[in-house]
Amino acid sequence: MQFKYFKEDLSASLVVFLVALPLCLGIAVASGAPPLAGLVAGIVGGIVVGFFSQSSLSVSGPAAGLTAIIVTALADMPSFEMFLLAVVISGIIQMALGFAKAGVIGYYFPNSVIKGMLAAIGLILILKQIPHALGDDAVYEGSMEFSQTDNENTFTEIIGAFRNINPIAAAISLVAVLILVFFDKFKLKQFTIFRILPAALFAVVVGVILNIGLDAWWPGYTLKDFHMVKLPVFSNFSELTDIVVFPNFRAITDKRVYITGITIALVASIETLLSVEASDRLDPLKRITPTSRELSAQGLGNVVSGLLGGLPVTAVIVRSSANIDSGGRTKLSAILHGFWLLLSLVFLGAYLNYIPLAALAGILFVVGFKLAKPSIFLAEYQKGWDQFIPFIVTVLAILFTDLLVGIGIGMAVGLFFVIKSNYQKAIVLKKTSSGLVLNFKQNVSFLNKAELLRYLATVEDGSNLKIDVDETTFVDTDIIQTLSDFIETAPEKGIKVEVEGLEKLAVKNRQAIVENNP
């Protein structure tokens, strides 16, 4: 572990802690689990996964994408302890996937889809935090889905919040945003004190002071308890240990445990790979995370979280992007954020419950804006339709469904454009002074068969045709057979065919062309 950037990592860890704290609690409550389970998952995601992961900047913890799975599992199982066993099993499966090098799947997500995911999450952060900024805290922190459990959706929730604005919450949120903008504009991070104590911490402290001041001078205008962070408070360590629950290993033969474990393992692995890929793209140093090692680290995290009574963990892009935006440089920031969560759980609950959710909303506004700046949309548009359409479809799909469904739609559109691009560029027919040249530019698969037949049909009787496969590295068997059939009948039409680059063709099919092209 590196301590070269300790100041930067310490500062970033405090921001990530402030972002993660309400998310851990909110996701647990939304899942129907004890709030403590969310905090345990956050602590394990920071300390355990952070230590064993080789990702420099991603941060792990309970994820909103698993909420629906947890709700369903808890409804289907007789106890939370049985669900914890499923979490342990999911971790074992993830570790096996890591050892099997299944993380390589993460390298095949199209760049336009990953950028669309980041922009969508930025927009969702802004939209979902608007109610909290206005004092409407009915929806739990960490909600990322368009359709909510209260029969509202992202936009109707915002409309409802505007109907019941709490001016104090709105003022605190605005002040938090202004502080963050002020820090960025005047580049205060050049001073040592501001490299250690981040702008987000100052924004939170100012929010707390404003609310306490109002409570002292105008009690009727102060924010109420339900507008604040709701951290469990323990008077001593034994109270904490008394409510910790452990897996029920007697349910090891129950098939529901394995079905839930497999489901969590697959969904958590996909979300982890997406988040790690996105974090690597945001990394200013462009470091590459070994994805299979990441799956193993996440698996170990889930085993430990399940054993200690916590929710399943994944790499989470919201926390990761907050880490990167705050200047985190190594995985020390993720580990430290886990220690801050542990410290807050054991010693600081009574004090942290003074933090207004509106102040945290202001922080997330800024994080969201940096992920979804207008310049990002413009840059993708300027790259052309084959990049912009998968990008914008991914953004809209995630915005109006949820992360995994939206990514699936974006991947389908992205793959369509990849295939379309390869289809259009793989084969080129051009005229030269000596005749026609059919040039294979790249890998040619069976998808190009129709295009090849169309080109061959345009070759007139008595023509000279040169088939150049020297620039390609692979030609599908169907394509080779189509060429062989054409060459075989070419003499009957007076067509002279020359093939260049035979060494590029499959050995088993080469002889067929040679025999028909003396």
Side-chain angles (χ1 to χ4, degrees), residues 330-412:
T330 74
K331 66 180 185 178
L332 179 62
S333 59
I335 297 172
L336 285 175
H337 117 276
F339 276 111
W340 303 143
L341 286 172
L342 178 60
L343 187 66
S344 69
L345 176 62
V346 179
F347 300 110
L348 303 177
Y351 304 102
L352 293 174
N353 286 345
Y354 283 103
I355 298 176
L357 293 175
L360 299 178
I363 297 171
L364 289 171
F365 276 150
V366 176
V367 172
F369 178 77
K370 291 183 177 181
L371 288 174
K373 291 185 290 188
S375 59
I376 294 173
F377 288 79
L378 180 61
E380 290 303 303
Y381 174 75
Q382 291 173 340
K383 291 179 182 179
W385 293 111
D386 59 335
Q387 291 294 309
F388 183 70
I389 291 179
F391 167 81
I392 199 66
V393 166
T394 302
V395 170
L396 294 174
I398 293 175
L399 195 61
F400 287 100
T401 58
D402 58 41
L403 178 62
L404 293 179
V405 172
I407 282 290
I409 295 172
M411 285 288 292

Side-chain angles (χ1 to χ4, degrees), residues 207-242:
V208 171
I209 291 173
L210 285 174
N211 194 53
I212 291 176
L214 285 170
D215 189 38
W217 292 317
W218 297 287
Y221 292 95
T222 188
L223 295 178
K224 308 304 179 186
D225 289 345
F226 57 84
H227 294 302
M228 307 295 182
V229 169
K230 300 180 182 66
L231 194 64
V233 178
F234 305 98
S235 58
N236 54 63
F237 189 74
S238 62
E239 285 188 10
L240 171 61
T241 56
D242 286 343

Side-chain angles (χ1 to χ4, degrees), residues 258-329:
Y258 295 95
I259 293 173
T260 301
I262 292 170
T263 304
I264 292 173
L266 294 178
V267 175
S269 295
I270 292 171
E271 187 159 347
T272 288
L273 294 175
L274 287 166
S275 297
V276 166
E277 178 71 12
S279 299
D280 287 349
R281 292 178 188 274
L282 291 174
D283 182 5
L285 302 180
K286 302 304 178 186
R287 290 164 288 189
I288 303 299
T289 299
T291 50
S292 294
R293 170 64 178 263
E294 186 65 23
L295 287 182
S296 296
Q298 295 290 335
L300 178 61
N302 275 320
V303 170
V304 175
S305 185
L307 289 174
L308 296 179
L311 296 179
V313 301
T314 75
V316 186
I317 190 57
V318 174
R319 294 166 216 194
S320 303
S321 58
N323 183 31
I324 296 166
D325 179 58
S326 303
R329 300 296 293 273

